Amino acid sequence: MARFPRPETLVGILVSLIVCALTLPPLAAVITSGAGAGFAPFREPGVVFNTLLFGFGTTIAAVIAGGGLALALAPGVPGRALLEGLVVMPLYLTPLLTAMGWNWLASPHSGLVNLLLHAASGNSLTINAVTPMGTIGVAALATAPLPFLLISDALRGIDASLTEAARVHGATPRMVLHGIVLPLLAPAGLASAVLVFVQAIGLFSVPAVLGMPEGFNVATTEIYQLLESYPPRFADATAWGILLLALAAALTFAQSALLRRRSFATITGKAFRVPRHLPSLPRLRAGFGWLYVALATVLPLLALLWAASMAFITANPKLMRLSGEHFAYVLFGYPKTWLAAGNSALLGALSATFVVLLGFGVSWVVLRTRQAGRSLLDQLSMMPLSMPAMVFALGLLWVYVRLPLPIYGTLGILLIAYVTHYLPFGVRATSAALRQLHPELEEAARVSGASWLRSMRRITLPLVQPTVFSAWALLFIMAMQEVSASILLYTSHSIVLSVAVFDLWENGNPSDVAALGFVQLAVSFVIAGLVLRARQRRALA
Amino acid sequence: MTATRPIAARRGPVTIEALTVAHGMVLAVRAISISARGGEVLTLLGPSGCGKTTTLRAIAGLEEPQEGRITIDGRTVFDAAGGINLPPERRGLSMIFQSYAIWPHMTVFENVAFGLRARGIRRSDLSSVARQSLDLVGLAALADRPATRLSGGQQQRVALARSIAGNPGVILLDEPLSNLDAQLRLAMRTEFRELQRNLGLTAIYVTHDQEEALVLSDCVAVMRDGVIEQAGTAAGIHDRPATRFVAEFVGVRNILPCDAAEESGRTVARLPGGALLACSGPAPDGPACVCFRPINVRLATQPGPGAFPATLTAANYLGDLVQYHLHAGELTIWARGLPRSDLAEGAAVFWSVPPEACFLVAA
Ligand SMILES: Nc1ncnc2c1ncn2[C@@H]1O[C@H](COP(=O)(O)OP(=O)(O)O)[C@@H](O)[C@H]1O
Ligand SMILES: [Mg+2]
């Protein structure tokens, strides 16, 4: 007797097909097409060196900063809740704006900080962000929230009894930190290091703003320049893509090899009673948190606001003049603003929606079914984490320029890139929500007579809805600010705000750039905020 | 047209034949066969990890077995050979989960009404049927309370009301009382038994608590490592465990290696040290153990026929009773009885067990 497949089976198959279709072709395209005439990176050992320097430097600095923040913001710090919220802000600010902010703050001649320093010290002191060190520093500021989140999670997972046991057996707080807490945090530290490294080597905007002008080129800026040249040198660009992929794969592999030798089965404690892991010093710890917030968010944004609202950039108090002319220009004069804003908002909304839906599908199949190959599906949906957005965009170009599908040059190709790039985020967020939901709640619905669809609609979805909505809002904000993939995939019709900002940065007036950057931030946060508000209203009604 | 509600439960029997369920590489249930008669309680009893939950979930359709056949009320709901596998909602049963699985975004009433709606009950009947079953478990007053504001015992009752509301023929229960405190557990167990009898439900009940199993069930199946070691009436399991494992599990504390022999039509167990115990029932092939419950050990301070000397090494209070610990050579014997002033620690005592309380199992 032939059985008609159950809806859950169909969903499993559908989700798997979509994930495969999204992730595999671009990956295969990059891998198979990069082997052109000579491997480009061999001809540019300096850029390879810079890429490694930038990758490792950013990783070390970001893990130290993020891990330090996680430890510093353990319970007992004044203003902890506020600080925890502010510290992760850089996740929702494009590094492009942070980098531009630091450029205005600390470029050697016209940077605000330097102008002040020069005035105070008589030209003997200069902080220069437009250097390899500055590039690494700003990239680390932008990526530090990742290790912060992973390591604080691990910290919260350490059962209080583990540290308390050490204390009652005679260990000092310092010994507890070195002997118990840090070793237990090692896996999270390592995982976040790999994550930051992959992000860093795939980061385009920071090296483009702070590195390129002084000749500090890395793989991403190289790819950009190769594609900007005439004629575009595709094969060489993909060769750099392969280099980035290989680096990411090597590190991911090293991580799993390292972790296999050690197992930390104890990290499953209860999060409710967090002990004092640390020697106290609450003020110092809070100070560290505020310093990070100032450097990563407040100062660059203030610089941006300052640059946008001055008639022209100067440190001479006599010449400073407040003016709305730049905002007026980007809003009413600059021809690309409204097109780009519309495109960005549409793309942001569509990609956030698809990512949340697909992510939910993947998590549900992985967590709730016994479908064959579901762990493969899980890994495949996480793969974009170890594939820099720019490399992925290269693969997409390679695939869709050749295919007769009318996708290249439209918002469609950007949508595909965004959905794939942010899929891991959607899977993580929805699987966290599903994990909190006892599977027996859905099973109880089934044995009560509800079909799969009804149990999904009436039980599962209402219960995960709050998480799904906040994930949607965050995804919308992130997608609104994507640079690395967009810069390769846009055309004049499908331009998005972040690309328009970068375009102005390269060819326009710095104050106009700042104003447009502000418009971009405003649009993304206002729309996300409105959606969340509307949802709360409906929940209350 | 929506179906109207049947007046009386269908009292369907449930039959499991050669059921095998695997979790990946782990064979959780191995070719078990058992059935629950209509209107009766079948209990699956066994230690944690023996496959009780897996069996129950397979019956519910929440787990897909590798082999076997499941029939509910004469209807085959799963048959590996025939390729039949009805989804849970079409098996006409209900289930109480160990976690209760009360839907937190609904009120008590909505929790009960959900299944009725899903089963397509008439809108006009919905409210009265849901309230009726809330009434049955004594929760009518809490109908409009959000489900998140309930105590453990109340959640348990909601789960019960929810599972009987749709008037299923069969109800499955997975350790429903294990999250309650001892007093509530006793009360709920009586209440459930009454409800089950009144409604004529067929129930399959899972527990690791032997007392609960014996009190509640018409039929008990003791499971071990995915197989059924012994199935029978509650009294049969209590009085005559068939294997050493079952004996241990149902609280037969004295299990002593012995030489078993047939002597003039009777079975006799010879213990190390020379004590001879007459037993009822046959002797197993091969090495044997003689088994008896502590409560059946008689203690005396004077020698008597069939009584053997021992030293009383400890006497501990155990609720109303006292647990005595005896030593005779290398033998250790547990006895239990009312407190006695003549039995002090260190005293020489004489113990005996009536033949009808002694039985043999394979060692
Ligand atoms: N989802 C699962 N995946 C893998 N193994 C499982 C799963 N559920 C149960 N098992 C294993 O199957 C066996 C039986 O489990 P279960 O039926 O839950 O036992 P019980 O309910 O009697 O405690 C155990 O060995 C358990 O470890
Ligand atoms: Mg169980």
Side-chain angles (χ1 to χ4, degrees):
Chain A
M1 181 173 121
R3 256 193 286 158
F4 187 73
R6 294 189 177 183
E8 49 267 55
T9 318
L10 290 179
V11 167
I13 294 170
L14 185 67
V15 162
S16 309
L17 285 180
I18 296 178
V19 171
C20 287
L22 283 176
T23 51
L24 293 180
L27 181 67
V30 172
I31 291 175
T32 54
S33 65
F39 194 61
F42 291 155
R43 297 191 302 264
E44 298 274 5
V47 178
V48 176
F49 174 79
N50 287 349
T51 307
L52 290 174
L53 177 70
F54 178 62
F56 284 110
T58 304
T59 304
I60 293 169
V63 172
I64 290 177
L69 284 169
L71 288 171
L73 299 192
V77 152
R80 175 160 176 258
L82 177 64
L83 270 173
E84 278 186 331
L86 289 176
V87 157
V88 296
M89 275 307 287
L91 283 181
Y92 313 114
L93 293 179
T94 165
L96 176 60
L97 295 185
T98 318
M100 294 189 325
W102 273 102
N103 180 73
W104 286 311
L105 284 168
S107 63
H109 302 298
S110 56
L112 274 176
V113 173
N114 286 327
L115 296 175
L116 293 176
L117 277 178
H118 292 175
S121 68
N123 282 357
S124 63
L125 266 175
T126 303
I127 296 176
N128 189 355
V130 194
T131 56
M133 282 314 285
T135 315
I136 289 172
V138 171
L141 286 174
T143 45
L146 295 171
F148 168 75
L149 286 177
L150 262 76
I151 294 174
S152 356
D153 259 5
L155 201 59
R156 229 169 281 141
I158 297 177
D159 199 294
S161 63
L162 293 180
T163 51
E164 285 163 3
R167 292 304 297 278
V168 299
H169 289 97
T172 62
R174 179 182 291 277
M175 286 157 73
V176 171
L177 181 64
H178 288 277
I180 312 278
V181 177
L182 291 183
L184 284 176
L185 294 182
L190 198 58
S192 62
V194 172
L195 204 56
V196 170
F197 183 83
V198 176
Q199 294 267 318
I201 58 174
L203 193 57
F204 168 73
S205 52
V206 177
V209 171
L210 298 174
M212 249 184 347
E214 295 295 319
F216 182 64
N217 269 315
V218 296
T220 48
T221 54
E222 195 72 16
I223 291 174
Y224 172 69
Q225 287 165 342
L226 285 170
L227 292 182
E228 286 286 288
S229 65
Y230 193 80
R233 288 158 62 191
F234 260 116
D236 287 346
T238 34
W240 284 101
I242 291 183
L243 178 76
L244 291 185
L245 273 185
L247 278 174
L251 275 225
T252 313
F253 181 77
Q255 175 200 7
S256 53
L258 269 176
L259 285 187
R260 199 167 303 134
R261 280 195 279 115
R262 299 199 285 171
S263 124
F264 294 94
T266 49
I267 309 190
T268 52
K270 297 184 180 63
F272 305 114
R273 200 164 39 103
V274 187
R276 292 179 187 280
H277 295 299
L278 282 179
S280 272
L281 310 172
R283 293 247 179 86
L284 191 69
R285 283 154 57 195
F288 182 56
W290 285 113
L291 177 67
Y292 173 77
V293 172
L295 293 181
T297 313
V298 177
L299 285 179
L301 284 186
L302 281 179
L304 198 67
L305 185 61
W306 177 82
S309 46
M310 287 291 144
F312 51 95
I313 293 182
T314 171
N316 186 337
K318 287 182 193 130
L319 297 179
M320 279 194 208
R321 185 166 55 81
L322 271 178
S323 155
E325 65 193 87
H326 305 297
F327 283 108
Y329 172 68
V330 299
L331 285 179
F332 307 111
Y334 187 55
K336 296 177 186 169
T337 306
W338 290 102
L339 176 66
N343 283 344
S344 280
L346 182 65
L347 268 176
L350 285 178
S351 47
T353 308
F354 284 134
V355 167
V356 163
L357 287 178
L358 190 57
F360 180 78
V362 170
S363 330
W364 194 85
V365 169
V366 169
L367 289 175
R368 294 290 201 260
T369 70
R370 298 276 171 80
Q371 186 184 304
R374 63 189 193 283
S375 68
L376 205 64
L377 174 65
D378 190 25
Q379 281 166 12
L380 210 54
S381 68
M382 284 294 151
M383 195 196 64
L385 275 185
S386 43
M387 189 162 177
M390 198 169 220
V391 179
F392 186 75
L394 266 178
L396 277 182
L397 276 180
W398 212 235
V399 172
Y400 288 103
V401 165
R402 283 132 189 254
L403 280 185
L405 294 174
I407 288 184
Y408 176 68
T410 66
L411 290 179
I413 196 166
L414 284 159
L415 183 62
I416 293 175
Y418 289 7
V419 169
T420 317
H421 182 61
Y422 293 113
L423 181 60
F425 183 95
V427 174
R428 285 270 158 88
T430 49
S431 69
L434 268 181
R435 259 180 239 280
Q436 304 245 315
L437 214 62
H438 202 303
E440 288 182 353
L441 291 170
E442 294 167 50
E443 292 168 354
R446 298 299 300 278
V447 295
S448 296
S451 63
W452 177 81
L453 201 63
R454 191 186 186 94
S455 132
M456 206 39 118
R457 224 180 53 223
R458 296 285 316 279
I459 307 291
T460 318
L461 289 180
L463 286 171
V464 297
Q465 200 201 34
T467 322
V468 165
F469 265 95
S470 39
W472 187 95
L474 296 182
L475 280 164
F476 177 81
I477 293 174
M478 291 198 280
M480 284 282 298
Q481 309 196 21
E482 209 286 334
V483 181
S484 309
S486 321
I487 199 93
L488 297 192
L489 298 175
Y490 83 99
T491 56
S492 54
H493 298 293
S494 58
I495 190 168
V496 292
L497 269 180
S498 49
V499 171
V501 171
F502 187 73
D503 204 44
L504 262 185
W505 171 261
E506 289 215 303
N507 312 309
N509 174 317
S511 291
D512 294 342
V513 180
L516 190 59
F518 248 91
V519 170
Q520 182 190 5
L521 281 184
V523 173
S524 41
F525 279 87
V526 165
I527 294 185
L530 286 178
V531 169
L532 281 183
R533 273 269 298 279
R535 195 208 134 244
Q536 272 165 2
R537 285 254 179 71
R538 231 185 46 193
L540 290 179
Chain B
M1 268 310 290
T2 53
T4 47
R5 188 168 187 244
I7 310 297
R10 276 167 298 160
R11 296 169 165 259
V14 178
T15 307
I16 299 166
E17 293 159 69
L19 189 74
T20 297
V21 193
H23 296 295
M25 295 281 103
V26 186
L27 266 186
V29 173
R30 308 157 192 237
I32 66 170
S33 298
I34 185 88
S35 55
R37 280 199 296 241
E40 289 195 355
V41 179
L42 163 69
T43 294
L44 304 178
L45 173 67
S48 163
C50 71
K52 308 179 297 289
T53 298
T54 306
T55 308
L56 208 63
R57 290 168 54 84
I59 299 172
L62 298 169
E63 212 69 75
E64 185 169 348
Q66 269 60 40
E67 299 292 337
R69 216 158 91 97
I70 303 170
T71 316
I72 298 175
D73 196 18
R75 191 167 59 123
T76 302
V77 297
F78 176 82
D79 186 355
I84 298 173
N85 185 14
L86 293 189
E89 68 270 20
R90 291 181 46 209
R91 296 193 175 197
L93 42 71
S94 68
M95 180 161 176
I96 295 185
F97 291 85
Q98 196 167 6
S99 69
Y100 307 144
I102 303 300
W103 300 306
H105 57 310
M106 299 180 179
T107 63
V108 168
F109 176 84
E110 286 166 331
N111 261 278
V112 177
F114 177 84
L116 296 172
R117 277 200 197 96
R119 296 218 148 101
I121 194 171
R122 251 197 242 131
R123 202 168 275 278
S124 52
D125 295 342
L126 186 79
S127 175
S128 68
V129 172
R131 279 180 202 280
Q132 194 184 338
S133 63
L134 279 172
D135 236 357
L136 277 177
V137 300
L139 274 189
L142 298 187
D144 295 320
R145 182 171 291 191
T148 42
R149 296 200 1 242
L150 295 174
S151 71
Q154 289 166 338
Q155 290 186 32
Q156 166 75 71
R157 282 165 199 273
V158 176
L160 192 56
R162 189 170 75 179
S163 65
I164 58 177
N167 203 8
V170 177
I171 174 170
L172 310 176
L173 305 96
D174 188 3
E175 312 217 12
L177 305 180
S178 62
N179 290 329
L180 302 179
D181 61 51
Q183 291 220 335
L184 204 52
R185 200 150 57 212
L186 294 185
M188 284 303 294
R189 142 177 129 187
T190 330
E191 208 171 305
F192 167 71
R193 183 64 161 154
E194 263 172 35
L195 204 60
Q196 177 267 333
R197 285 217 173 101
N198 293 341
L199 297 177
L201 293 166
T202 307
I204 301 182
Y205 192 101
V206 159
T207 181
H208 64 262
D209 182 336
Q210 53 122 348
E211 195 183 312
E212 201 170 289
L214 298 178
V215 170
L216 272 176
S217 326
D218 299 295
C219 177
V220 178
V222 181
M223 289 186 71
R224 175 195 196 182
D225 292 341
V227 299
I228 292 178
E229 284 255 322
Q230 186 180 0
T233 62
I237 298 279
H238 180 270
D239 295 340
R240 284 292 174 274
T243 67
R244 178 179 183 138
F245 172 81
V246 176
E248 278 170 6
F249 201 75
V250 299
V252 178
R253 192 85 195 256
N254 297 299
I255 300 176
L256 308 169
C258 65
D259 288 325
E262 303 274 337
E263 279 175 21
S264 56
R266 303 199 66 181
T267 317
V268 174
R270 181 184 300 277
L271 292 171
L276 274 178
L277 291 176
C279 303
S280 52
D285 298 331
C289 284
V290 60
C291 310
F292 47 92
R293 290 182 176 270
I295 196 76
N296 293 325
V297 177
R298 292 182 189 151
L299 295 181
T301 49
Q302 300 300 322
F308 307 97
T311 312
L312 180 65
T313 49
N316 302 310
Y317 275 93
L318 207 74
D320 293 338
L321 300 179
V322 177
Q323 172 116 289
Y324 299 103
H325 195 187
L326 313 181
H327 271 276
E330 61 202 72
L331 284 184
T332 296
I333 292 149
W334 299 88
R336 191 180 285 188
L338 295 169
R340 280 163 59 175
S341 55
D342 57 341
L343 294 179
E345 287 183 12
V349 294
F350 296 87
W351 64 276
S352 58
V353 191
E356 63 275 13
C358 275
F359 57 93
L360 292 160
V361 296

